[in-house]
Amino acid sequence: MKTLTGAQMMCEALLAEGVDVMFGYPGGAIMPFYHALPEYPQLRHILVRHEQAAGHAAEGYARTSGKVGVCVATSGPGATNLVTAIADAMMDSVPIVAITGQVVTSLIGKDGFQETDVTGITQPITKHNYLVTDVRDLPRVFKEAFHIARTGRPGPVLIDVAKDVQNARGMFEYPESVDLPGYKPNYEGNRRQIKEAANLLNQAKKPLIMAGHGILLGHASVELREFAEKTGIPVITTLLGISCIPEDHPLSLGMPGMHGWVHVNRAIQECDVLFTIGARFDDRVTGKLDTFARNAKIIHVDIDPAEVGKNVITAVPIVGDAKRVLENLTEIVNANEHSEWLNHIREIQATRSKRQRDPESGMFTPHHVYAEFTQIMQGEFRVCTDVGQHQMWAAQLIEYMKPHTHITSGGLGTMGFALPAAMGVQVACPNEEVWAIAGDGGFQMNLQELATVVQESLPLKICIINNGYLGMVRQWQELFHERRYSATPMWSPDFIKLADAYGIPGLRVERPEDVAEAIHQARATNGPFLIEFVVEREVNVYPMVAPGASISDMFEDPNEVEIEDVVAVK
Amino acid sequence: MFAMKHTLVALLRDQPGVLNRSVSLFRRRGFNIESLTVGHTETPGISRMTLVVDGDTTSVEQVIKQLYKLIDVLKVSDVSQDPNVTRDLLLVKVYAPPAKRSELMQLADIFGAKIVDVVPDAMMIELSGSPEQLDRFVDLIRPFGIRELVRTGCVAMTRGASTVSGPYQNQEFRAA
Ligand SMILES: Cc1ncc(C[n+]2csc(CCOP(=O)(O)OP(=O)(O)O)c2C)c(N)n1
């Protein structure tokens, strides 16, 4: 056993957990940790420009690599700047460990300089959190934190370490196992319930699989595909489930919900068994709850018991790991085909969704950008989107072929997510092509990270869909608030000059015919590249379910429904 | 699915913040807590919380599942359906001039309450019992003039030899 300082112990613990990179920002209360860091060259530290970005970058890293993402901040303002990213990770079940410095123990509770009760603040938005006031607790706390973050339903864990604890010395022995009697995630689904599910699926005439983030978090893409292929059951993927099955797979139908496809929402309303794995029935998916999937018996597989039965009534609840449950189910379920059912859905699709893919001629819409993108990239990319219209279009229009290629803030819907998250994705996949796609609004929420991109030589490509508005809010104002565009028109700087100031080359594209060339140029550039697409200002995302309405009532164009009807249900 | 009172018993590890975590969970999830008490158990390091919540079966199941998600919560049982002993403790200070005293003492006697303090025009009475018993007692003495009243909230224990303690089973699952 060695005696080490607390700060050294923190570094040793990170190494023991297999961490090789972290995103952070120093400050007074975390200085001992930063003092120790150069002794551990295996630990790469990426200096961001704002702690929120450190959190999102850790998320992007975790969401692609399947490993735990790590972010570091000082006490007080550093820690509070992490809060949004922590909440984001909580909503999307992303495994990150956030390490914050805290004022010295003797000042805790005395309103010391830069003291905030960050464990108190983050209690409802972390899976668990710790305040460490004794150096002897450090090894155990780190061991537990990483274990809790990555097992069961993954999530963010925060460790707040008092500054004097980082400076104190103690014996270091990293525990081999954790002893948490109150935390024993259940991976193995109940046999009887799995059998019941198989029976239900065998008898189903119009079954449907709804695959969520749990498939990606549980690395169960292969198992999902095998199960779907054996049973012939079509698969729909929630916003966070996108990319868990190749989108050109004959059984893959696309996204349900508020901006999902008509044929997908129809399939939900018509199916007799809805087999949901690793999705939590978010209101953006279900619409008006009591009309959702009303002809279906629901089978719900989730690793978190509290998710089962939370929003919908379940015929067969299965608490377990997506991968294992799917394996077990595939073994016992009958091989089948549902060609009639599938054809029926495909027919609806053929008649309904054309308009989205063929925007009116003469206008430069984001649809052109996404169509070219998919065409040129041939599935070889990872995309991080921000929040808003461009996010929904990226979900609808780009085709994703490989797991973890679509990274987005689904649960919290955090603007400013795309650029820092893409940094984390690029760090996780240094040799792949990573694209950050943002609106003019969201991009300006964390654009300071351009500096990090340059300092770290991250070759990521940035795409701004500039419509001169906070587009998604403007769309709601148009549809539900009498077109009163209150606080949504948005002035932006010259993004190309801005990129230039950071040393990043860029191009502005204002016509559909220039899209392909710009994308080619970005790809050919060795290093980061920024493209600003100046698109039609008032294009809406369709199809759409009005907030609070039933997913049976989709509209593809405001002219299809009386706007008053829509307003009435909101 | 009608709303009724549920008595839940939870075993918790004595870790900093565990009570705050539990309470803030109820606030955040919008559950209505009628009473909550915490104290030590026979095992050092483990506290026991008794909760009385108002809600239908589904929402009580949610409370239990959400509580289980807290790392330091070892076990949660709904003991409402089991034969159990539920006790609440009451201290009440009543206006009691000499002329009223014997009447009050008689009432206290009937309920098995103790007089724990007497001054010329007031009396403090202590009573433990089921919440309903306490309610009835309070109703009876109200006309005398209550100056101050405090109740601890319920603690509960199931009858018979079995216990709610160990083996701890965090992810105990109940079909919805
Ligand atoms: C941090 C944050 N603030 C506010 C919102 C509310 N919001 C959702 S979408 C949106 C507009 C986004 O505009 P822009 O980034 O330009 O993208 P667009 O919708 O035009 O594609 C806003 C303001 C949010 N999701 N996140």
Side-chain angles (χ1 to χ4, degrees), chain A residues 22-37:
Chain A
M22 65 194 101
F23 304 86
Y25 207 100
I30 191 77
M31 276 177 70
F33 173 75
Y34 276 91
H35 181 76
L37 210 47

Side-chain angles (χ1 to χ4, degrees), chain A residues 21-26 33-34 44-51 53-55 57 70-74 82 99 449 452:
Chain A
V21 63
M22 65 194 101
F23 304 86
Y25 207 100
F33 173 75
Y34 276 91
R44 175 180 178 195
H45 179 274
I46 292 179
L47 175 68
V48 293
R49 296 300 183 269
H50 187 293
E51 289 86 352
V70 177
C71 54
V72 186
T74 189
L82 282 180
I99 300 166
E449 295 309 315
T452 310

Side-chain angles (χ1 to χ4, degrees), chain A residues 79-124:
Chain A
T80 54
N81 274 351
L82 282 180
V83 165
T84 303
I86 293 173
D88 193 272
M90 185 68 174
M91 287 290 273
D92 288 352
S93 312
V94 181
I96 63 169
V97 168
I99 300 166
T100 49
Q102 183 52 278
V103 300
V104 292
T105 21
S106 58
L107 281 179
I108 294 179
K110 310 273 166 58
D111 303 323
F113 175 66
Q114 292 194 327
E115 185 201 354
T116 40
D117 173 16
V118 70
T119 39
I121 289 172
T122 58
Q123 229 163 49

Side-chain angles (χ1 to χ4, degrees), chain B residues 67-132:
Chain B
L67 269 172
Y68 264 125
K69 283 175 73 161
L70 303 181
I71 306 289
D72 292 323
V73 171
L74 301 171
K75 190 156 190 205
V76 190
S77 313
D78 183 350
V79 301
S80 327
Q81 301 303 317
D82 308 325
N84 64 59
V85 177
T86 304
R87 288 289 177 270
D88 195 351
L89 174 69
L90 163 90
L91 289 177
V92 61
K93 202 177 278 178
V94 201
Y95 180 68
K100 293 275 179 188
R101 236 180 254 164
S102 68
E103 200 181 335
L104 263 172
M105 284 164 76
Q106 232 173 343
L107 270 177
D109 201 36
I110 294 168
F111 276 79
K114 273 197 283 185
I115 314 291
V116 287
D117 190 35
V118 184
V119 288
D121 62 352
M123 217 150 128
M124 198 201 300
I125 306 174
E126 170 196 322
L127 172 61
S128 89
S130 73
E132 297 76 28

Side-chain angles (χ1 to χ4, degrees), chain A residues 40 44 48 55 102 137 217 225 253-254 284 298 372 401 429 454 462 467 476 496 505 516 547:
Chain A
Y40 297 85
R44 175 180 178 195
V48 293
Q102 183 52 278
D137 292 336
L217 291 167
R225 202 150 102 197
L253 296 180
R284 285 291 189 269
I298 294 176
E372 290 286 3
M401 300 301 172
C429 316
V454 173
I462 299 153
N467 52 13
W476 284 43
I496 308 304

